[in-house]
Amino acid sequence: MSVSLRIATVSALLIAYVTANCDPGWRYLPTTQACYKLIDDQLPWSVAEIRCLYQGGHHVSIASHEENRFVRETARHQEVWHGAAFFGSDYNYVHSDRTPFGYYEAWENGTGRPSMNRARRCIKINSNGDWFQSCCKKIAAAVCKKAAAPAWGNDSN
């Protein structure tokens, strides 16, 4: 067996092993080492966040083009909540999982971050994967995100 074939086999086994550490119904993305799940119910942002919290996660926070594409696929190309919003009089977006906002952004029409709108404090992701501001009381599906359980952390033997 060639070295590259061995490396590919070991990599596939490791990915499969870590994938098994996502709860049933969750999808694994190796580059983020996180699990993702679609909440298909149409909910306001805050209720969707509570549903994610109940399952051990948060609304999705997105840090790369690859992750944005994966979330879009997980959402089955429907409109979903993004994990960022701004609260109070502070006009800075904050992710519900407390990860920094702004490493990657994918706003509609490629125009960059829009001006803050007090009536539209939350972000949604449309069916194309583009982000737009929305009133947090509107409804949408959600994608939850949580860290995958490390493969070495399972001591069930």
Side-chain angles (χ1 to χ4, degrees), residues 25-39:
W26 291 73
R27 296 181 64 206
Y28 180 70
L29 180 60
T31 56
T32 62
Q33 298 179 2
C35 303
Y36 301 77
K37 182 178 182 179
L38 174 63
I39 304 296

Side-chain angles (χ1 to χ4, degrees), residues 120-142:
R120 296 180 179 160
R121 296 173 171 266
C122 293
I123 301 173
K124 285 184 181 173
I125 305 166
N126 70 20
S127 61
N128 295 323
D130 297 327
W131 304 358
F132 65 99
Q133 293 174 324
S134 176
C135 172
C136 303
K137 293 178 183 179
K138 299 271 185 178
I139 58 172

Side-chain angles (χ1 to χ4, degrees), residues 64-84:
S64 71
H65 175 73
E66 178 188 10
E67 187 175 19
N68 198 59
R69 184 173 30 83
F70 185 82
V71 168
R72 182 176 152 234
E73 291 167 4
T74 300
R76 299 191 298 254
H77 304 279
Q78 67 179 313
E79 194 173 273
V80 294
W81 289 114
H82 186 290

Side-chain angles (χ1 to χ4, degrees), residues 1 6 12-14 24 28 31 71 87 104-105 109 126 138 152:
M1 182 183 273
R6 279 189 226 149
L13 289 171
L14 284 172
Y28 180 70
T31 56
V71 168
F87 305 97
Y104 171 81
E105 297 181 39
N109 306 321
N126 70 20
K138 299 271 185 178
W152 55 88

Side-chain angles (χ1 to χ4, degrees), residues 86-157:
F86 68 93
F87 305 97
S89 60
D90 185 4
Y91 287 104
N92 293 308
Y93 283 108
V94 178
H95 282 132
S96 60
D97 66 3
R98 297 181 185 229
T99 58
F101 180 84
Y103 287 124
Y104 171 81
E105 297 181 39
W107 296 99
E108 279 183 314
N109 306 321
T111 57
R113 190 180 301 180
S115 300
M116 293 298 189
N117 182 330
R118 299 192 102 229
R120 296 180 179 160
R121 296 173 171 266
C122 293
I123 301 173
K124 285 184 181 173
I125 305 166
N126 70 20
S127 61
N128 295 323
D130 297 327
W131 304 358
F132 65 99
Q133 293 174 324
S134 176
C135 172
C136 303
K137 293 178 183 179
K138 299 271 185 178
I139 58 172
V143 173
C144 303
K145 176 181 176 181
K146 66 181 178 179
W152 55 88
N154 286 346
D155 266 349
S156 57
N157 295 347

